[in-house]
Amino acid sequence: MSELVRYALRDGVAVVTIDNPPVNALSPGVPEGIAACVRQAGADDAVTAVVLIGAGRSFIAGADINEFGKITSGEKQRGEGLHPLLAVLEDSAKPVIAAIHGQAFGGGLEVAMACAYRVAVASAQVGQPEVRLGIIPGAGGTQRLPRLVGVEMALRMCQFGDPVKVPVACEAGLIDRVIDGDLLEGAVAFAREVACQPVRRVRDRDGKLGTAEQNAPLFQAAREAAAKRQRGLEAPLAAIAAVEAATRLPFAEGLREEARLFEERLFSKQSKALIHVFFGERTVAKIPDVPKDTPVLSVKQAAVIGAGTMGAGIAMTYANAGIAVRLKDATAEALDRGMASIRANYAASVAKGRFSQQAMDERLARISPQVSYEGFEEADIIIEAVFEGMALKKQVFAEIDAVAKADCVLATNTSTLSIDEIAAATGRPEMVIGHHFFSPANVMRLLEIVRGKATSKTVIATSMALARTLGKIGVLVGNCRGFVGNRMFHPYRREAQFLVEEGARVADVDGAMTEFGLAMGPLAVGDLAGLDVGWRIRKEYRHLEDPRARKPRMEDALCERGRYGQKTRTGWYKYDEQRRASVDPDVEALIAEVRAELGITPREIGAEEIRERLLAALVNEGKRILEEGIALRPVDIDIIYINGYGFPAWRGGPMFHAGIV
Ligand code: 3HC
Ligand code: NAI
C-alpha cells in the first residue's frame, strides 16, 4: 500500500484516507493506492462499505497538473489516466462514499462521481475547472456529470469551470447529503445506513439526459455564450462537444469521445499557455531572497490619502476584504466626490445582483471619510494616492511619517515616480513600498508591488500576503520609471503611433491586436486612459529624452487639437453618447498632415507586421527589464500583462508567447 493513501477500519466501515499535501492532487501513486485500498475492503468480510476522504485541506484538487507537461514533452506515456481507478470504484460490490471537504475539483470530482454516493460539508466546493487549463475533464466528468445534474448545469460547469457550492450541488443531485459537524463521523454513519442497499452506478442513470429537442437549444446557447464570453478559447467548445456526446452516445462511446477531445486539448498550444499561467500565478508569490517564513505584519486597519479615481477604488478594495479604512482628502468637496463615486459604484453592483444591499451597507460602514489625520496613528498601513507629482508626494510622506506608528507600512500608488526618492522624505525608508493598483482599483486583479532599495523584507512579505487578502495577484517588481507594466507599455504604444504614421489605418492597428486576443488595441486604450496624461508627462520630461531617438508625433498632434480621448468624445476615434467608437475623418486628415510634416510616404501595412512590431516592442523592453533585474522572472512579466493589461491568458503572456520562459 502506498504512503500516500491510508487504510483503517471504523465501525465495520473501511476508511481510505488520501494524504498527498498540500491539496491531495492525484499524483502517481495516489490512484493506485486508492484502488488497492478499495480492493482490500472488498476482500475483507468485516467491511460493509468504504469511505474515501482527504487528509488536510481538501478532498482532491484534481489530476496532478505537473504530469501534463511530462506527457506532452514525451517524457512520459499518457497511459489510461484515472480510468482503472474509476472502474474499481464504480464496480465495487460494497458502496464507496466520497466524503468531501475543501475542494473536489477536476479529477477529484470525477473520482467522487465514480463512487456510489457523495457526502460533503456545506463549506466545500465542487467543480470541473479543466477549461481554465485549456483542457476538458478527461476522466468521465463530461459523461457522469450530466447524468447526475442534468445537461444544462453540466454544460455550465464544464464550459466555464466555476466552482459550485455544496448546497447548490446537493439541490442538483450531485451531493447526496450535507454533513453537519465532523465529516468523517457523518460519512461513516451515512455509510452504515446505505451499506446493505443495492448500488446504482452513475453511468447507468440516464434519466436526466433529456431529449434531442430539449437539448438542442441548450447546446446552441452554450456555443453562443462561448463565442461572446470566451472569445478565442478552444477548450470550452471541446467541453460542450463532450457533454453533447454524453446525450447522443452510449456511456462507453461517450467516454471514448471525451478521451479523444481531451487528448487533442492536452497537446494544444492553449493548454501549454494556460498551464504556464496556472503555475506562474503561484510562482510570482515566491521571492528568492524573502523566504516563506519571513515575519508578516497584521493588517486590520488601513488608511488611504486622496479620494480621487484611485484612492476611492483602493478604499473599496479594503472595505470589500473586510478591512476598516479611513479615507482622507485635502478638501471636503473632493472627499464628497470620492464618497459619491463609491456609493454609485456599490449601488450599481447591488442593481446588477453582485451583492446585497446589506453587504453594500456593511462595506460602506467600513469606510470613514475625513479631512484630517485623525486616527491615522492606529493604521497598520497607509496608502497614498494623491496627484502624481514628486513635491506633493514628498510633502504627504513627511506628514505621514509624523503621524504613523512605528510598524505601519507606508505605501504609495505612484505610477511613475521613484519609490526611493519618496521614501527619503521619511525617517523610515525601510517601511516604504509601492502598491501600484490598476484602474479601476476595486476591479483589476493586478497589484505591482514596488520594492525600493531600503524596503524591508517584512514589508515585502506583508505586502505579498496582503495582496492575497485583498483578492489581488501581487507581483514584486523593482524601482524604475514605469516599473514593469507601464514601462513596457510605453514603447508598445509608441510603436502603434509609428505604424499609423507609416501608413497603417487606426482601426487596423487596434484590430490586429484584438484579433490576437487583447481586450483592446493600443490606440483605443490611449483614448480610454486619456491622451492628455501622457502628453503632460512628455512636456514635463522632454529635457530627459534622447534627442537622437525617433519620437512619435501623432498623440501630441491630437492633444494640441483638444482631442484627449473618451473624456472629450474625440481622440483617435470619435465617440457617441454611449461611448461607441467610430473612425473619424478629421483624424485621417490629421494623420495625412503629420505624414507630410514628417516627410513619410505612406505604405500598406498588414495585420501580421502590425502584430509583430507591437509584440516585439513589448518583448524587447521586457528583456531589458529582466537584464536589469526589475522583474524577477519572465513569468512575472506574463502575469502582469495578463492581469493588468488584458493580454490573453491563452497566449501565456508576451514573454511566453515569444518563447522566453
Ligand atoms: N496539481 C498539482 N499541483 C497543484 C494542483 C494540482 N491539481 N492544485 C494545486 N496545486 C499546487 C499549487 O501549484 C501550489 O503549489 P506551490 O505551493 O508549490 O505553489 C499548491 O498546490 C497550493 O495551491 P494554491 O496556492 O493554489 O492553494 P489554494 O489553497 O489557494 O487553492 C485550489 C487550492 C483551489 C485547489 C487551487 O490550487 C486550484 O484551483 N487548483 C487547481 C485545480 C484544478 O485545476 N484541478 C483540475 C486539474 S486537471 C484534471 O483534474 C484533469 C482531469 O479531468 C483528468
Ligand atoms: P485623481 O486626480 O483622481 O485624485 C487625486 C486626489 O488626491 C484628489 O481627490 C485630490 O483632491 C487629492 N489630493 C491632492 N492633494 C492632496 C493632499 N495633500 N492630501 C490629500 N488629498 C490630496 O488622481 P488618480 O488618478 O486617482 O491618481 C492618484 C495617484 O494614483 C497618482 O499618483 C497616479 O499616478 C496613480 N495612478 C493612477 C492610475 C489611473 O489610472 N488614474 C493608475 C495607477 C496609479
Side-chain angles (χ1 to χ4, degrees):
M1 207 136 304
S2 96
E3 285 169 13
L4 300 166
V5 186
R6 292 194 298 270
Y7 183 87
L9 282 180
R10 191 162 157 166
D11 300 339
V13 173
V15 176
V16 177
T17 307
I18 308 149
D19 194 359
N20 182 27
V23 291
N24 292 330
L26 294 161
S27 314
V30 175
E32 297 79 1
I34 301 171
C37 287
V38 174
R39 280 201 205 93
Q40 183 181 347
D44 187 342
D45 290 341
V47 168
T48 54
V50 183
V51 165
L52 180 61
I53 193 164
R57 63 199 222 213
S58 64
F59 174 66
I60 301 171
D64 185 338
I65 302 168
N66 293 297
E67 294 296 302
F68 295 145
K70 294 182 193 158
I71 294 167
T72 51
S73 67
E75 187 188 327
K76 238 180 163 177
Q77 287 285 317
R78 173 146 138 69
E80 291 179 89
L82 297 175
H83 289 288
L85 165 63
L86 302 183
V88 169
L89 292 168
E90 198 159 52
D91 295 339
S92 167
K94 297 171 187 175
V96 184
I97 293 97
I100 301 169
H101 75 295
Q103 291 87 18
F105 281 173
L109 180 57
E110 291 171 304
V111 162
M113 290 192 292
C115 296
Y117 301 95
R118 287 145 296 283
V119 300
V121 291
S123 59
Q125 292 184 317
V126 296
Q128 300 281 181
E130 286 88 343
V131 279
R132 297 186 176 173
L133 301 171
I135 55 174
I136 66 164
T142 62
Q143 308 301 300
R144 288 191 180 86
L145 195 53
R147 287 175 160 83
L148 281 168
V149 303
V151 176
E152 192 171 5
M153 183 165 166
L155 260 177
R156 212 168 40 241
M157 287 176 70
C158 295
Q159 175 183 0
F160 295 107
D162 294 331
V164 172
K165 295 198 171 114
V166 159
V168 177
C170 188
E171 177 83 29
L174 180 51
I175 300 295
D176 298 293
R177 183 176 296 170
V178 181
I179 305 286
D180 292 326
D182 185 72
L183 175 63
L184 179 58
E185 214 169 280
V188 168
F190 181 90
R192 288 168 64 85
E193 273 175 48
V194 297
C196 300
Q197 291 171 19
V199 174
R200 189 141 180 254
R201 304 184 305 177
V202 172
R203 66 193 294 158
D204 299 328
R205 301 193 213 167
D206 287 353
K208 289 190 175 176
L209 287 179
T211 64
E213 295 75 52
Q214 286 165 337
N215 291 332
L218 300 179
F219 290 114
Q220 192 186 335
R223 290 193 169 99
E224 281 168 11
K228 230 178 174 168
R229 290 163 51 196
Q230 297 175 304
R231 192 170 64 94
L233 288 171
E234 294 159 354
L237 294 173
I240 297 168
V243 175
E244 196 168 32
T247 66
R248 284 192 293 104
L249 302 172
F251 184 81
E253 277 178 52
L255 267 190
R256 275 197 290 279
E257 180 61 1
E258 180 193 81
R260 187 186 70 74
L261 290 162
F262 175 83
E263 180 124 352
E264 221 171 72
R265 285 304 101 224
L266 184 62
F267 283 87
S268 69
K269 268 189 179 165
Q270 289 199 356
S271 108
K272 286 181 191 135
L274 287 164
I275 289 174
H276 164 73
V277 174
F278 174 84
F279 285 120
E281 288 194 349
R282 285 146 184 90
T283 301
V284 295
K286 299 179 177 102
I287 298 156
D289 72 326
V290 182
K292 239 178 149 179
D293 55 3
T294 305
V296 168
L297 300 166
S298 124
V299 176
K300 299 249 158 30
Q301 291 201 46
V304 176
I305 308 182
T309 311
M310 295 306 290
I314 296 168
M316 282 194 272
T317 304
Y318 275 88
N320 295 350
I323 299 174
V325 54
R326 294 176 184 277
L327 178 59
K328 175 190 186 308
D329 207 296
T331 64
E333 296 73 48
L335 204 53
D336 288 348
R337 261 198 316 275
M339 286 308 293
S341 89
I342 291 175
R343 267 186 228 103
N345 197 300
Y346 278 152
S349 293
V350 172
K352 284 182 195 144
R354 291 212 184 105
F355 47 79
S356 65
Q357 180 65 45
Q358 191 195 336
M360 164 170 166
D361 296 342
E362 284 166 10
R363 289 170 198 220
L364 266 179
R366 290 190 196 111
I367 305 177
S368 319
Q370 55 188 70
V371 287
S372 72
Y373 279 112
E374 194 194 322
F376 269 55
E377 68 284 357
E378 287 165 11
D380 301 306
I381 182 167
I382 299 174
I383 310 103
E384 167 279 313
V386 301
F387 301 134
E388 187 80 342
M390 186 51 93
L392 176 62
K393 302 264 185 202
K394 280 184 170 169
Q395 180 204 320
V396 169
F397 269 80
E399 287 168 14
I400 298 174
D401 196 24
V403 291
K405 62 180 182 181
D407 60 351
C408 176
V409 174
L410 309 184
T412 169
N413 184 46
T414 179
S415 41
T416 52
L417 303 172
S418 165
I419 305 300
D420 293 333
E421 210 178 326
I422 294 172
T426 73
R428 41 176 137 169
E430 71 285 359
M431 297 309 292
V432 178
I433 192 160
H435 281 192
H436 184 212
F437 286 84
F438 286 70
S439 182
N442 55 319
V443 176
M444 297 294 286
R445 240 183 122 212
L446 178 63
L447 179 62
E448 266 187 340
I449 297 175
V450 193
R451 169 184 204 163
K453 64 173 187 287
T455 311
S456 80
K457 292 183 183 179
T458 294
V459 168
I460 294 171
T462 303
S463 299
M464 296 300 292
L466 182 61
R468 214 177 146 102
T469 308
L470 296 177
K472 305 287 178 203
I473 177 143
V475 184
L476 187 71
V477 299
N479 182 29
C480 69
R481 213 172 139 66
F483 315 127
V484 170
N486 285 349
R487 175 165 157 186
M488 285 170 66
F489 211 50
H490 190 62
Y492 166 76
R493 292 205 63 258
R494 198 174 46 203
E495 196 65 29
Q497 294 183 66
F498 290 151
L499 283 160
V500 171
E501 289 170 7
E502 289 169 31
R505 276 173 289 274
V506 171
D508 288 354
V509 171
D510 281 341
M513 295 320 283
T514 50
E515 186 64 25
F516 177 77
L518 264 91
M520 282 176 102
L523 303 175
V525 165
D527 275 0
L528 178 69
L531 301 175
D532 56 318
V533 180
W535 185 45
R536 290 214 179 90
I537 295 172
R538 280 194 296 283
K539 283 198 284 193
E540 196 177 328
Y541 291 100
R542 197 134 282 167
H543 60 286
L544 296 180
E545 282 175 5
D546 178 355
R548 292 159 305 174
R550 180 179 173 191
K551 287 177 212 50
R553 223 350 246 140
M554 265 311 294
E555 290 196 349
D556 285 351
L558 288 166
C559 289
E560 283 155 14
R561 284 153 186 80
R563 303 183 67 109
Y564 294 169
Q566 290 197 16
K567 65 174 94 162
T568 55
R569 299 250 299 266
T570 55
W572 282 102
Y573 299 90
K574 61 180 173 186
Y575 296 86
D576 65 14
E577 273 105 68
Q578 277 81 46
R579 299 211 165 191
R580 277 183 305 230
S582 59
V583 171
D584 188 345
D586 289 350
V587 174
E588 293 182 343
L590 178 60
I591 293 170
E593 253 179 64
V594 166
R595 283 175 188 155
E597 183 190 310
L598 297 172
I600 294 174
T601 310
R603 64 183 174 89
E604 234 0 90
I605 302 182
E608 202 178 319
E609 181 180 339
I610 295 175
R611 217 167 24 241
E612 276 178 9
R613 281 176 56 181
L614 289 173
L615 289 172
L618 269 185
V619 170
N620 288 336
E621 195 62 34
K623 281 196 208 154
R624 278 189 281 274
I625 281 172
L626 285 169
E627 278 159 21
E628 291 170 29
I630 295 294
L632 282 169
R633 299 145 291 218
V635 72
D636 293 71
I637 297 179
D638 288 335
I639 298 305
I640 286 174
Y641 261 76
I642 290 166
N643 291 285
Y645 294 83
F647 201 95
W650 51 271
R651 300 266 191 200
M655 305 313 274
F656 179 86
H657 182 72
I660 302 163
V661 282

